[in-house]
Amino acid sequence: MQLNSLGFPRIGRRRELKFALEKYWRGESTQAELHEVAKELRRTHWQWQVAAGIEQVPVGDFAFYDQVLTLSATLNAIPDRHRGEGAIDLDTLFRVARGRAPTGTDAPASEMTKYFNTNYHYLVPELKQDQVFSIAYEQFFDEVAEAQALGYQAKPVLLGPVSYLYLAKTVGQDFDKLSLLPNLLKAYADILARFAAQGVTWVQLEEPILALELAADWQAAISEAYQALKTAQVKILLTSYYGSISHHQALVSALPVAGLHLDLVTAPEQLALFANALRPDQILSAGVVNGRNVWAAEVDLIVERIGSVARDLCSQDGSRLWIGTSCSLLHSPVDLEVETTLTPALRQQLAFAKQKLLELANVRQLLLAPESVAAKEIVNTCLARREAKAQAADAKVIARVTALTQADYERVSEFTDRQAVQQRKYRLPLLPTTTIGSFPQTPAIRGLRSRWRKGELSDAQYTEQLQQVTRDTIDRQLKLGIDVLVHGEAERNDMVEYFGEQLEGVGFTKNGWVQSYGSRCVKPPLIYGDVSRPKAMTVEWAEFAQSLTDKPVKGMLTGPVTILHWSFAREDISRDTIATQLALAIRDEVVDLQNAGIGIIQIDEPAFREGLPLKQSEWQAYLDWAVNAFKLSAAGVVDETQIHTHMCYSEFNDTIAAIAAMDADVITIETSRSRMELLNAFEDFEYPNEIGPGVYDIHSPNTPSVEAMVHLIEKAAQKVPVRQLWVNPDCGLKTRTWDEVEPALKNMVDATRELRRRLG
């Protein structure tokens, strides 16, 4: 019975990769030095996995920016604008991802969006009708050789050919992506042949689209792909995750693959179905430990669920069953051992990536030796953990949720009435300008926070210096001529963590980092209990910023759905119940902001679409409670109070009606990387409220020109009536520098003024 690791976090337990990348991008280190950091991280992570009992270490899960981008480079599917004169190299990948690298010519970065229903972002492949795929980048093969040189058995991991096409976008002429499949399969066959020549036995080909409700042509593509690859001289582990694939059981069970991996965390019910259809020569990899959360596995309950099937497969041939994580551990923090300040009660509930490997071994222990002393200790630990959770319930929070009525979810008046009141109060110009919330978190600000946390600055000293930063941020916006200001969020470490630190029932870590994209890492809060807000979280800073100007300053909050999705949420109650508890906490803050004189309040929901179930037939149930959670958070205010929300890196076409149902007075969205393509959703749907499509890609250091932004605003005005439009960047500006931000915002304001002149 093998233990199966589908992939490991690449950033390092102290974010070593992040810091090495950013140092290289700043020109402070060489590419050789960056590679050395990466090599040491891979060596450490492989060593940990082997020590935990993993026989085949995953290779190809490491990426300098994104594994989908690495695959595009391997397949020679790099946009022409990002290519240099020579072969594809690491800087080529950085130009695709960031629009800029230490070498080569700057060019607009490729589109970036969420990977299925996760908070991980991938670089969208751009494919032409005459696309030719061929091996053009050696990273996969180099890392196989690297693992083998260390004495490890390598199992290459890469996205399967059909999922790769599904995630890609077409450029140039409109055409059917599936027309590229035959040529793509030849390249995949060449990749598998290279692996075989290196002595690889198993290759993990991931087809996460199997969790979707696929049209007939995409189902046929799956069959075509694996029939074409069946002659490969390696064994293929067809890997699914993020949901059930039981609706494709007949299709999948007929595929000529040597093994099948199932996500039995999100869909435990599919085990018996596929086990019964398993051929005698196939192995089944059971993904029973959650790769997307931090809670210690209930190993005894896992064994109860899979026990009969596991015993049956083991009685036939123990090698036919593998025990694995549900998906790659990319979505988990790296190592619980570096968390030294957690309370014992919370710590005993947790398992990070390194510890999840040990949980796989515990599952195997209970399956193979259930009467052993070690097995009994494992069971006793699980029982004690569950008992402690049950005793921690907050009766007041539970009662408040139970007492809610429909009136608690609705604004006092319809939008058109509110809009008239708000226009009289704020008297904003045509195409009002604003930003999304955060401004640069400079090294000086991060240094202040670090010194304060270490006790080197008193609370008063820390507050005084951050007030000066806030004054500076307001002054810069006033000089730029922005209409609706923000205070800049200098006091906030992260848009979710900041709130998590101030809510009851929520814990946080010091090193629980996970990768969001590239070098961007987040540290999700831990929602371990019933959630409430003991005191105001943002009012003092909002009041201070508003005291500095007569222009409106937005109160800035993170919405309940996003806090839920970007936290590690408890699993013993439903997610909609957690969202309702969070919504009540945010509602209390919204009302306090209004009472403090803050008239415009933004409740960010960038993760709204991220929570959609992968199967469209299950969407409505999610949308109902997600919309209600937002409305509950916003509905406690008077008509004069203007509620904004923000969403980014989402396809809006499928959820536009639900977004309208949220009834925010203004929504700001990411659209610049797609060149306003995301606004196509507004062609056939008459969006009733006001909207700010982003005209400035904040994830690239490049400064957009006035002409480029004028063009984007004009494109937006073709989709949305101009009097409903706002002008703003795509997202918050915390990751950029002032040298990048100020010229970009100046151009944004100049572009807006130019259009105001044209429109009279």
Side-chain angles (χ1 to χ4, degrees):
M1 187 186 296
Q2 279 197 43
L3 304 183
N4 185 26
S5 172
L6 274 67
F8 201 81
R10 59 187 69 126
I11 59 173
R13 62 181 164 189
R14 298 193 185 276
R15 295 180 291 165
E16 292 89 341
L17 182 60
K18 167 190 173 65
F19 298 124
L21 283 167
E22 293 174 354
K23 189 175 181 181
Y24 173 66
W25 293 337
R26 291 193 301 265
E28 297 171 2
S29 68
T30 65
Q31 196 171 112
E33 290 171 316
L34 174 59
H35 277 290
E36 191 58 36
V37 172
K39 186 175 181 179
E40 178 61 23
L41 285 172
R42 290 192 294 268
R43 185 194 66 78
T44 298
H45 298 162
W46 289 332
Q47 186 179 56
W48 287 348
Q49 291 173 86
V50 170
I54 304 297
E55 295 181 21
Q56 301 183 66
V57 296
V59 174
D61 55 338
F62 183 88
F64 286 94
Y65 205 96
D66 161 49
Q67 71 271 14
V68 180
L69 174 58
T70 305
L71 179 57
S72 292
T74 305
L75 295 168
N76 202 20
I78 295 294
D80 291 340
R81 67 184 182 277
H82 299 126
R83 292 177 181 270
E85 296 181 359
I88 294 173
D89 64 4
L90 190 56
D91 277 2
T92 310
L93 274 64
F94 293 149
R95 288 194 294 274
V96 174
R98 306 179 69 245
R100 177 185 297 182
T103 65
T105 304
D106 294 355
S110 286
E111 186 177 340
M112 183 169 64
T113 195
K114 299 291 181 69
Y115 190 71
F116 294 91
N117 59 352
T118 75
N119 189 32
Y120 177 79
H121 301 66
Y122 76 96
L123 271 298
V124 179
E126 299 178 21
L127 304 180
K128 301 177 293 186
Q129 189 169 18
D130 60 352
Q131 187 77 47
V132 176
F133 300 100
S134 60
I135 297 175
Y137 188 62
E138 295 291 314
Q139 182 176 330
F140 286 142
F141 313 110
D142 291 344
E143 290 175 9
V144 167
E146 184 182 317
Q148 292 171 334
L150 292 169
Y152 301 137
Q153 187 177 356
K155 180 192 63 175
V157 174
L158 64 159
L159 190 64
V162 186
S163 290
Y164 178 77
L165 280 183
Y166 192 92
L167 295 179
K169 64 182 291 186
T170 60
V171 295
Q173 292 177 286
D174 188 29
F175 65 95
D176 182 2
K177 290 186 288 188
L178 286 174
S179 66
L180 301 176
L181 183 60
N183 181 250
L184 179 61
L185 291 174
K186 292 177 183 177
Y188 267 81
D190 291 342
I191 291 172
L192 297 182
R194 287 278 300 273
F195 288 147
Q198 290 182 288
V200 165
T201 302
W202 283 91
V203 175
Q204 179 177 309
L205 286 186
E206 302 178 345
E207 294 289 2
I209 64 166
L210 287 169
L212 306 177
E213 292 164 332
L214 295 174
D217 54 346
W218 286 95
Q219 294 183 51
I222 291 283
S223 181
E224 177 187 348
Y226 290 89
Q227 288 294 333
L229 298 176
K230 69 180 179 181
T231 59
Q233 297 303 301
V234 293
K235 295 180 180 180
I236 293 175
L237 179 68
L238 179 65
T239 301
S240 63
Y241 43 73
Y242 302 156
S244 173
I245 63 169
S246 58
H247 54 302
H248 294 312
Q249 184 268 320
L251 167 68
V252 171
S253 294
L255 297 176
V257 294
L260 174 65
H261 175 83
L262 299 174
D263 179 348
L264 300 179
V265 171
T266 59
E269 70 282 352
Q270 62 183 330
L271 173 60
L273 182 66
F274 282 98
N276 290 335
L278 205 65
R279 296 192 299 274
D281 60 335
Q282 284 183 309
I283 69 100
L284 179 67
S285 173
V288 293
V289 170
N290 195 337
R292 293 182 60 177
N293 218 327
V294 294
W295 308 110
E298 303 290 0
V299 178
D300 56 336
L301 301 183
I302 289 171
V303 172
E304 282 183 20
R305 286 197 300 268
I306 71 169
S308 60
V309 171
R311 284 188 289 271
D312 183 51
L313 288 173
C314 289
S315 65
Q316 300 172 31
D317 180 353
S319 64
R320 292 187 64 208
L321 178 66
W322 294 2
I323 300 297
T325 53
S326 60
C327 59
S328 170
L329 294 170
L330 171 70
H331 310 294
S332 294
V334 178
D335 187 8
L336 185 60
E337 291 176 11
V338 297
E339 294 299 330
T340 58
T341 60
L342 292 170
T343 64
L346 181 55
R347 185 185 179 88
Q348 71 172 352
Q349 297 184 38
L350 303 176
F352 291 179
K354 187 180 178 185
Q355 289 70 43
K356 288 177 183 293
L357 300 171
L358 302 177
E359 291 182 329
L360 298 178
N362 287 345
V363 173
R364 181 168 62 182
Q365 177 73 28
L366 262 63
L367 284 170
L368 297 181
E371 299 303 320
S372 66
V373 172
K376 291 176 181 178
E377 289 178 354
I378 293 168
V379 171
N380 288 337
T381 298
C382 292
L383 292 173
R385 189 186 303 125
R386 286 199 291 275
E387 184 177 350
K389 286 182 183 177
Q391 293 175 350
D394 187 329
K396 291 182 179 179
V397 175
I398 295 170
R400 190 179 180 194
V401 170
T402 303
L404 288 170
T405 67
Q406 186 57 42
D408 294 312
Y409 294 85
E410 304 297 337
R411 295 287 297 271
V412 176
S413 304
E414 298 294 324
F415 169 71
T416 51
D417 296 330
R418 303 197 307 264
Q419 184 183 42
V421 172
Q422 292 163 13
Q423 287 175 343
R424 288 194 297 270
K425 179 176 180 179
Y426 300 112
R427 300 188 178 278
L428 296 173
L430 186 71
L431 299 171
T433 55
T434 190
T435 63
I436 303 307
S438 60
F439 271 90
Q441 288 267 327
T442 64
I445 293 173
R446 293 194 296 272
L448 280 175
R449 186 177 300 120
S450 176
R451 291 169 59 201
W452 173 63
R453 290 190 183 279
K454 292 175 182 177
E456 297 172 5
L457 289 177
S458 68
D459 290 351
Q461 290 171 320
Y462 181 59
T463 298
E464 182 181 357
Q465 294 195 48
L466 287 184
Q467 284 179 340
Q468 186 54 48
V469 173
T470 303
R471 287 190 188 93
D472 177 66
T473 302
I474 294 292
D475 286 344
R476 290 178 191 252
Q477 293 173 84
L478 291 172
K479 290 174 182 175
L480 287 164
I482 293 173
D483 300 307
V484 176
L485 313 186
V486 296
H487 79 286
E489 304 177 17
E491 79 285 0
R492 303 186 189 184
N493 45 11
D494 175 81
M495 67 178 292
V496 173
E497 183 182 8
Y498 177 77
F499 293 95
E501 290 177 336
Q502 301 183 74
L503 294 170
E504 294 290 343
V506 182
F508 51 94
T509 64
K510 287 188 175 294
N511 294 287
W513 299 98
V514 293
Q515 184 184 23
S516 181
Y517 60 86
S519 68
R520 168 72 168 149
C521 301
V522 294
K523 188 149 53 74
L526 314 175
I527 303 177
Y528 64 85
D530 295 309
V531 179
S532 61
R533 186 202 71 147
K535 62 180 181 180
M537 301 179 286
T538 68
V539 173
E540 183 178 349
W541 284 106
E543 281 186 303
F544 175 74
Q546 187 62 79
S547 73
L548 303 174
T549 178
D550 292 332
K551 283 191 171 184
V553 178
K554 288 191 287 189
M556 298 301 306
L557 304 173
T558 302
V561 178
T562 294
I563 293 178
L564 171 63
H565 291 326
W566 289 359
S567 297
F568 291 118
R570 58 192 290 199
E571 298 173 322
D572 57 327
I573 64 174
S574 68
R575 292 178 72 79
D576 60 308
T577 300
I578 301 171
T580 302
Q581 293 181 359
L582 288 164
L584 286 169
I586 298 302
R587 180 190 183 98
D588 292 344
E589 188 74 11
V590 169
V591 171
D592 281 354
L593 283 168
Q594 173 187 260
N595 294 342
I598 307 302
I600 300 180
I601 302 170
Q602 183 169 307
I603 308 171
D604 285 344
E605 287 290 16
F608 180 82
R609 194 186 190 283
E610 180 182 309
L612 275 178
L614 295 180
K615 295 174 181 61
Q616 192 165 353
S617 60
E618 300 171 1
W619 282 9
Q620 195 57 52
Y622 163 75
L623 291 172
D624 287 346
W625 66 254
V627 167
N628 276 339
F630 179 85
K631 291 174 68 177
L632 179 62
S633 72
V637 296
V638 298
D639 289 352
E640 281 187 337
T641 300
Q642 188 176 75
I643 297 293
H644 290 222
T645 191
H646 171 69
M647 297 181 178
C648 54
Y649 301 102
S650 298
E651 298 290 340
F652 297 102
N653 300 54
D654 298 324
T655 58
I656 187 65
I659 292 170
M662 292 167 68
D663 199 27
D665 297 305
V666 182
I667 178 175
T668 53
I669 60 175
E670 175 273 326
T671 51
S672 69
R673 280 203 179 193
S674 69
R675 312 298 294 170
M676 294 292 168
E677 287 178 13
L678 291 177
L679 283 183
N680 291 341
F682 297 84
E683 287 183 326
D684 301 320
F685 183 91
E686 189 174 339
Y687 188 75
N689 301 10
E690 297 177 15
I691 180 168
V695 297
Y696 157 31
D697 175 17
I698 67 91
H699 292 94
S700 171
N702 299 339
T703 301
S705 67
V706 172
E707 294 74 20
M709 287 194 272
V710 165
H711 177 64
L712 288 179
I713 300 169
E714 288 178 330
K715 287 187 71 173
Q718 295 170 11
K719 314 274 187 181
V720 178
V722 71
R723 292 201 172 275
Q724 289 178 240
L725 286 176
W726 287 58
V727 179
N728 45 262
D730 270 349
C731 203
L733 299 163
K734 66 178 291 184
T735 61
R736 301 263 59 92
T737 66
W738 280 110
D739 287 344
E740 296 163 340
V741 165
E742 286 194 293
L745 290 181
K746 179 181 182 302
N747 286 356
M748 184 186 83
V749 172
D750 287 347
T752 305
R753 287 171 174 166
E754 171 62 24
L755 280 168
R756 286 173 185 162
R757 283 193 292 270
R758 292 187 195 179
L759 296 168

